[in-house]
Amino acid sequence: MKNLLEDIGSRSRWPARLDVTQSVTGLALALFMWVHLVLVSSILLGKDAMYYVTGFFELKFLTGWTHGYPIIVSIIGIIVFAIFIIHAGIALRKFPISWRQHRIYRDQMSMMKHSDTNLWYWQAVTGFVMFFLGSVHVYVMISHPDQIGPYASADRFVSENFWPLYLVLLFSVELHGTIGMYRLAVKWGPFDGKDPRKNRKRLKRLKTTLTFAFLIIGIITFATYVKIGIDHRGSAGERYAPPGHSSAMLEGGEVE
Amino acid sequence: MIQAKDGRTLKFHIFRYNPQLEGDEPKMVTYEVKEAPGMTVFIALNEIREQQDRSLQYDFVCRAGICGSCGMIINGKPDLACRTLTSKFKNGEITLLPLPGFDLIGDLSVNTGTFNRAMSERVGTWIHDEQAAEKSLDELEERMDPDLADEIYELDRCIECGCCIAACATKRMRDDFLGAMGFMKVARFHMDSRDKRSDAAWYEIIGNDEGVFGCMTLLGCEDNCPKDLPHQTKIAFLRRKMVGVKV
């Protein structure tokens, strides 16, 4: 019989570290994506609102609303990309790694019709989709940090044909993020409280509500950019200037 | 009060396959049974075996949800045949499959014993105390807080039926994953003040991807445990404990 009291310290701590890192990076990315959605959806308040939100993150207020520092966007992009790659790399451990494992998982889904088992599968599928589509988007943002604005972004949707990528990405991100946050909560138990089963039901309801809320906001935002992009197709490349801003002030930023 | 629908004829679609019989092929066979008040799947199986097909294999001992022998997949869900009332299936169609994840003995009978034995040895499901051998048998056992005893008893209600194992897609994908039954045993002995294993010692048993860090929190165990054991909170507890173990 193995003496379980003596053989201490031989097992690696890396599985623990990886599990925590997967959760922490997932939490960071989900929170980032929720904030990202709020910022992007500022277009729903008008082109000026989106223009000022973008300008704020480029620190344009420091340069009298002229060029700003778009490199800030690149730096944020690089940090997010790094967290994204770490999260994806660690999460890969859990993916079915063979046809046999995938077949077993699908069989289990069809046999049990168990909601949390099904949700995990869709989380894995959307995660896989984001490996590729998310990377494309983040790389474009890192390499063209000054190309964010009411017209620049809308042109990317329509004239640069990014809309199919953004549409798939929208559904993938919102599903993956909310399912992931729910799973984080039940995995570590911070909201278990006195009645964990009741609280799990509440968390699940919250998850579903958030998924729909984010998807609705996202779809309306998507449609708004597409509409602006279509209207602006004739002068694609031209940058937005809010009323009262001279082109001299906006040089290097969103200028005509 | 539970009442069967009067005169209802139930249709049981049962997986049949005897690996011991040369040339036998897996197939689904349908049996019809007249429903009786308070009928369970187990009672219906008895009736089928007594009146229609004496070769039908399934396990049972206690008939009261205690022994854990009659676990099977009932209309897609792992459950105990002796605790599942036929009246809960409104259309009267009941499909029975053996529990996946275990060696098939024949038809609905699976070998949970080999699995349970391996799990017990892996986890060490007995009190570990190096001083135990030196204690006198005449000595009184140390007192235990009654609340702690109650909590241990709550986790000790696991009947090792295998429903949590069959309900876990992670376990089904990865043979070497410990599974919820093992985690429940760990939680039970971790809680027991007589067991002297430290968190670091427990880490040696479950601190890897075949252990608690391999759990994908699908919660099939939590949602399909016939004894309603707190799998979700206990696995989360073990995960937190194991993460806190220092080198």
Side-chain angles (χ1 to χ4, degrees):
Chain A
M1 183 183 93
K2 189 183 169 191
N3 189 339
L4 296 165
L5 290 167
E6 280 177 3
D7 195 22
I8 294 171
S10 61
R11 183 153 272 172
S12 167
R13 264 47 180 174
W14 273 105
R17 289 182 198 129
L18 292 179
D19 206 36
V20 172
T21 309
Q22 185 184 341
S23 293
V24 170
T25 50
L27 175 69
L29 289 169
L31 291 175
F32 172 80
M33 287 318 303
W34 291 354
V35 172
H36 177 280
L37 178 67
V38 171
L39 299 177
V40 167
S41 64
S42 61
I43 195 73
L44 300 177
L45 301 176
K47 295 189 189 81
D48 286 354
M50 199 270 179
Y51 174 83
Y52 285 111
V53 165
T54 311
F56 176 79
F57 282 95
E58 292 174 2
L59 308 185
K60 278 186 179 172
F61 52 87
L62 294 180
T63 59
W65 289 90
T66 54
H67 53 79
Y69 301 101
I71 193 164
I72 301 287
V73 175
S74 293
I75 293 169
I76 294 173
I78 289 167
I79 294 169
V80 169
F81 207 16
I83 297 173
F84 176 54
I85 291 168
I86 292 168
H87 181 72
I90 298 174
L92 259 181
R93 296 173 304 145
K94 310 284 182 181
F95 275 47
I97 53 161
S98 62
W99 173 250
R100 182 180 165 273
Q101 286 192 350
H102 183 259
R103 191 63 260 163
I104 287 173
Y105 202 97
R106 295 291 303 178
D107 284 350
Q108 186 81 352
M109 283 170 71
S110 63
M111 180 185 88
M112 298 248 304
K113 296 179 177 57
H114 176 247
S115 146
D116 283 36
T117 302
N118 295 348
L119 284 176
W120 185 90
Y121 184 81
W122 292 112
Q123 208 185 356
V125 168
T126 51
F128 189 74
V129 166
M130 284 191 290
F131 282 158
F132 308 100
L133 306 191
S135 297
V136 172
H137 172 62
V138 178
Y139 184 76
V140 168
M141 290 300 100
I142 292 171
S143 58
H144 296 82
D146 56 337
Q147 297 294 309
I148 304 173
Y151 284 161
S153 298
D155 288 345
R156 192 160 46 250
F157 267 79
V158 178
S159 300
E160 295 172 30
N161 293 316
F162 267 69
W163 66 268
L165 182 136
Y166 285 160
L167 188 61
V168 179
L169 210 45
L170 169 67
F171 279 87
S172 299
V173 168
E174 300 315 337
L175 284 171
H176 193 93
T178 47
I179 297 170
M181 288 294 246
Y182 160 73
R183 197 176 307 286
L184 265 186
V186 289
K187 181 175 176 178
W188 295 97
F191 306 111
D192 282 353
K194 283 185 179 162
D195 191 345
R197 286 185 175 142
K198 199 171 174 185
N199 286 336
R200 178 177 161 215
K201 279 183 189 158
R202 284 182 182 149
L203 284 169
K204 207 161 187 180
R205 269 201 303 273
L206 178 64
K207 170 200 74 70
T208 309
T209 309
L210 287 178
T211 304
F212 280 105
F214 290 148
L215 276 177
I216 289 166
I217 296 169
I219 289 166
I220 297 171
T221 302
F222 177 90
T224 307
Y225 280 112
V226 168
K227 184 180 182 307
I228 296 170
I230 290 170
D231 293 345
H232 196 247
R233 201 161 31 185
S235 35
E238 174 201 47
R239 304 299 296 266
Y240 179 76
H245 280 231
S246 70
S247 56
M249 280 175 75
L250 297 162
E251 192 181 344
E254 280 271 316
V255 293
E256 292 185 21
Chain B
M1 201 177 90
I2 300 148
Q3 278 188 320
K5 289 192 176 65
D6 208 28
R8 197 164 78 141
T9 299
L10 301 169
K11 277 190 178 175
F12 283 86
H13 311 288
I14 300 178
F15 175 86
R16 300 298 313 270
Y17 175 53
N18 186 346
Q20 308 296 326
L21 283 181
E22 206 175 323
D24 196 18
E25 295 281 338
K27 56 187 175 292
M28 297 299 290
V29 177
T30 300
Y31 301 91
E32 292 191 354
V33 175
K34 187 96 168 164
E35 192 173 35
M39 181 178 250
T40 62
V41 169
F42 167 72
I43 292 171
L45 283 171
N46 275 354
E47 203 169 304
I48 292 169
R49 183 151 69 180
E50 280 167 17
Q51 297 171 11
Q52 301 183 42
D53 191 338
R54 297 193 68 80
S55 68
L56 180 64
Q57 299 182 68
Y58 57 95
D59 297 320
F60 70 95
V61 178
C62 75
R63 298 165 287 177
I66 297 166
C67 73
S69 301
C70 63
M72 58 184 69
I73 303 292
I74 305 170
N75 279 356
K77 314 275 185 203
D79 211 339
L80 301 177
C82 70
R83 276 177 36 124
T84 306
L85 292 163
T86 55
S87 57
K88 94 182 219 192
F89 303 107
K90 299 298 170 214
N91 65 359
E93 303 261 345
I94 300 170
T95 300
L96 302 179
L97 304 170
L99 285 183
F102 298 95
D103 294 336
L104 181 72
I105 295 172
D107 302 335
L108 303 173
S109 171
V110 294
N111 181 357
T112 53
T114 306
F115 173 90
N116 290 347
R117 168 87 195 214
M119 181 275 298
S120 285
E121 290 179 355
R122 183 170 165 184
V123 170
T125 55
W126 56 90
I127 299 288
H128 286 64
D129 180 2
E130 281 180 328
Q131 311 300 319
E134 295 162 18
K135 284 180 184 163
S136 160
L137 286 175
D138 301 327
E139 205 177 309
L140 278 176
E141 206 175 38
E142 274 177 45
R143 283 167 180 265
M144 182 184 276
D145 182 343
D147 289 341
L148 175 62
D150 281 349
E151 282 182 59
I152 293 172
Y153 179 72
E154 167 69 12
L155 305 190
D156 245 349
R157 293 189 302 108
C158 174
I159 54 172
E160 302 179 5
C161 59
C163 286
C164 60
I165 300 301
C168 177
T170 311
K171 174 66 188 167
R172 289 205 55 203
M173 273 202 299
R174 302 187 175 101
D175 273 347
D176 50 4
F177 179 59
L178 179 60
M181 195 198 296
F183 294 131
M184 191 49 65
K185 300 290 177 191
V186 172
R188 179 250 176 271
F189 283 94
H190 182 277
M191 182 183 283
D192 197 320
S193 55
R194 295 165 299 178
D195 195 307
K196 304 304 179 196
R197 278 177 281 189
S198 63
D199 284 351
W202 285 115
Y203 191 95
E204 297 300 316
I205 302 168
I206 56 165
N208 58 5
D209 281 351
E210 290 76 46
V212 75
F213 302 123
C215 170
M216 306 200 299
T217 321
L218 306 175
L219 299 180
C221 53
E222 170 80 10
D223 296 336
N224 290 280
C225 176
K227 305 305 281 186
D228 282 331
L229 289 167
H231 292 284
Q232 178 200 329
T233 51
K234 288 303 163 196
I235 294 173
F237 168 78
L238 292 176
R239 192 191 300 275
R240 293 195 300 269
K241 278 283 170 196
M242 292 304 102
V243 160
V245 172
K246 303 285 179 247
V247 182

